[in-house]
Amino acid sequence: MQPGTSTTVMVSPFLRTAAAYAWRLLVVGVLVYSLFAVLGRFHEIGVALFLGLVITALLRPVADVVARGLPRPFAVALTLLGGIALVLGVLALVGEAVAGERTTLVREFRVGVDRIEDWLERPPFRLNPGALGDLQDRIGEYLSSHRSTLVSTALSGAHHVVAVLTTLALAVFSAVFFIHSGDRQWAWFRKQLPGSVRERVAVGGRAAWRTFTGYTHGIVLVAAVNAVLVGIALWLLGVPLAVPLALLEFVAAFVPLIGSPIALAIAAVVALASQGPLVAAIVIGLIVVIGQIEGHVLHPLVMSWAVRLHPLVVAISVIAGSIAAGIVGAVVAVPLVSVVWSVHTALRDARAARREAGAAPSEGGAETASDGAEPTKGGAGSREGDADPREGGAEPTKGGADPREGGADPAGD
């Protein structure tokens, strides 16, 4: 190579495109990681706001109906107090059922444990008769030797109880304002945004709230139907604690695909200890039946109009949410993914509608170029026989549309 000559490194277009996307993906990844780090640091606030939105989605229609006959503040207060009374009444009913069946349940569990030991000692398991007795002794020794550790763990759990109560109080406090004047708060938030993005935020916000409320109403209805079916089945089978187990099924149904089988598995263990292997097998069969009803009847009828996600996406979302944030993440994952997908779909449809509106020819006027293309030289874009755009800078013929005015710019959306 002679001095003074320069070499040009040829980079393939594919590599240049990949590098351009790579650094943008890195920036997005850093932003997403920072967002989740902040949410993890203040997760109690995030959970409280999520619960406040759930309460709002459930009680806002009731408050709107009550507000027809009462002033809005009184209607909101009456609705919230009624909802709190309903929840406390259900919890009191469950506590009374547990207290009433406690003595019978302890006796049945002791008999059931002996029955399970005899069953495991027979073929095909042939378990050593002293194995379970040794296991019970070891558990007792462990509890005795680690009593101080268990006590300190229980005391540290009091901190979590306080955190849970604080989160619930903040959720109710947020729900009061969301129910009373959530629309005005949303309008104020939109006014703080730049004018170029307000319309997109409005479209995305409407889609997000519509999907979230639909999901909330649907999952509550599905959970209630599951709980009623489980409660009736366990009561007919004579399984103790049918009401608490039905309530457990109601709560577990908020975790799609996974929650109901786990709750019914606990019910099967209770049935095995209290009623024997035959009833436990029937409860296991109940897991399959309710799973089929939930997956093929309830979700398609109740949820499909609000949440259009493939079951594989739902399963991956639940598992990813549980890995990221435990039980709370598993509950929040599916509505979060549903809302994000709904916003994306709404914005995409809005862009397509504006693009079609900008490309459609007007009645009796000039034909605009497709997809908002620039008009012909002179800015007219008119057909033969229309005014010459070079004479005096004539505008397009009457009724024609300038694709730069009235048609949305796809790049600007």
Side-chain angles (χ1 to χ4, degrees):
M1 182 187 303
Q2 297 180 356
T5 61
S6 61
T7 60
T8 302
V9 179
M10 299 300 295
V11 180
S12 66
F14 172 78
L15 187 58
R16 285 200 299 269
T17 303
Y21 277 105
W23 74 261
R24 288 176 172 87
L25 289 176
L26 287 175
V27 172
V28 173
V30 170
L31 292 177
V32 171
Y33 177 81
S34 302
L35 175 63
F36 275 94
V38 172
L39 290 177
R41 183 67 180 85
F42 301 98
H43 64 278
E44 288 90 353
I45 298 177
V47 172
L49 292 177
F50 175 78
L51 291 177
L53 290 174
V54 170
I55 297 172
T56 304
L58 293 175
L59 299 184
R60 177 69 183 264
V62 180
D64 292 340
V65 173
V66 177
R68 296 175 182 175
L70 292 175
R72 186 74 183 180
F74 291 103
V76 172
L78 183 62
T79 304
L80 282 173
L81 290 177
I84 294 173
L86 177 62
V87 173
L88 294 180
V90 172
L91 293 178
L93 177 63
V94 172
E96 183 179 356
V98 172
E101 297 182 4
R102 181 180 59 184
T103 305
T104 305
L105 185 63
V106 170
R107 183 179 67 253
E108 290 182 349
F109 260 89
R110 288 175 180 173
V111 175
V113 169
D114 295 336
R115 188 186 299 119
I116 293 173
E117 289 181 2
D118 296 337
W119 180 52
L120 293 176
E121 290 171 4
R122 293 196 300 267
F125 299 102
R126 298 184 182 277
L127 190 66
N128 185 3
L132 292 179
D134 294 339
L135 180 61
Q136 294 176 7
D137 295 338
R138 290 177 182 176
I139 293 175
E141 292 176 0
Y142 177 83
L143 294 177
S144 300
S145 59
H146 295 79
R147 184 176 302 170
S148 60
T149 305
L150 294 175
V151 171
S152 63
T153 303
L155 292 177
S156 64
H159 167 72
H160 297 291
V161 173
V162 174
V164 168
L165 294 178
T166 304
T167 301
L168 291 176
L170 180 58
V172 174
F173 186 74
S174 303
V176 170
F177 293 98
F178 292 159
I179 296 174
H180 181 266
S181 56
D183 48 353
R184 293 200 297 270
Q185 295 173 16
W186 175 246
W188 176 86
F189 172 75
R190 285 178 53 204
K191 288 181 180 178
Q192 312 310 310
L193 301 175
S196 58
V197 300
R198 286 180 188 172
E199 182 60 29
R200 281 177 289 173
V201 171
V203 172
R206 286 193 298 267
W209 183 244
R210 183 173 59 249
T211 300
F212 184 81
T213 53
Y215 176 85
T216 303
H217 297 163
I219 197 66
V220 168
L221 182 58
V222 170
V225 172
N226 284 358
V228 171
L229 293 177
V230 169
I232 294 175
L234 294 180
W235 177 73
L236 292 176
L237 293 172
V239 178
L241 300 178
V243 175
L245 290 174
L247 180 62
L248 177 63
E249 167 65 23
F250 176 82
V251 175
F254 283 87
V255 182
L257 302 179
I258 297 176
S260 293
I262 293 177
L264 288 175
I266 296 174
V269 172
V270 175
L272 177 63
S274 60
Q275 299 294 330
L278 179 60
V279 177
I282 296 176
V283 174
I284 292 174
L286 186 67
I287 297 176
V288 179
V289 172
I290 290 183
Q292 295 298 315
I293 294 175
E294 179 181 352
H296 294 89
V297 178
L298 294 178
H299 274 282
L301 290 178
V302 177
M303 302 286 287
S304 61
W305 61 274
V307 181
R308 297 177 177 87
L309 296 179
H310 193 276
L312 180 61
V313 177
V314 173
I316 294 175
S317 301
V318 171
I319 294 174
S322 62
I323 293 174
I327 297 177
V328 175
V331 174
V332 174
V334 175
L336 177 62
V337 173
S338 302
V339 165
V340 171
W341 178 250
S342 175
V343 170
H344 166 73
T345 304
L347 293 178
R348 183 189 61 193
D349 294 343
R351 284 196 301 269
R354 283 193 292 269
R355 194 177 296 122
E356 290 177 2
S362 301
E363 263 186 281
E367 223 172 28
T368 56
S370 176
D371 290 334
E374 288 294 328
T376 56
K377 187 176 179 182
S382 56
R383 291 184 285 183
E384 253 181 52
D386 287 335
D388 186 0
R390 291 170 296 180
E391 294 180 6
E395 294 292 327
T397 55
K398 187 177 180 181
D402 185 353
R404 292 171 297 180
E405 298 176 0
D409 182 9
D413 197 34

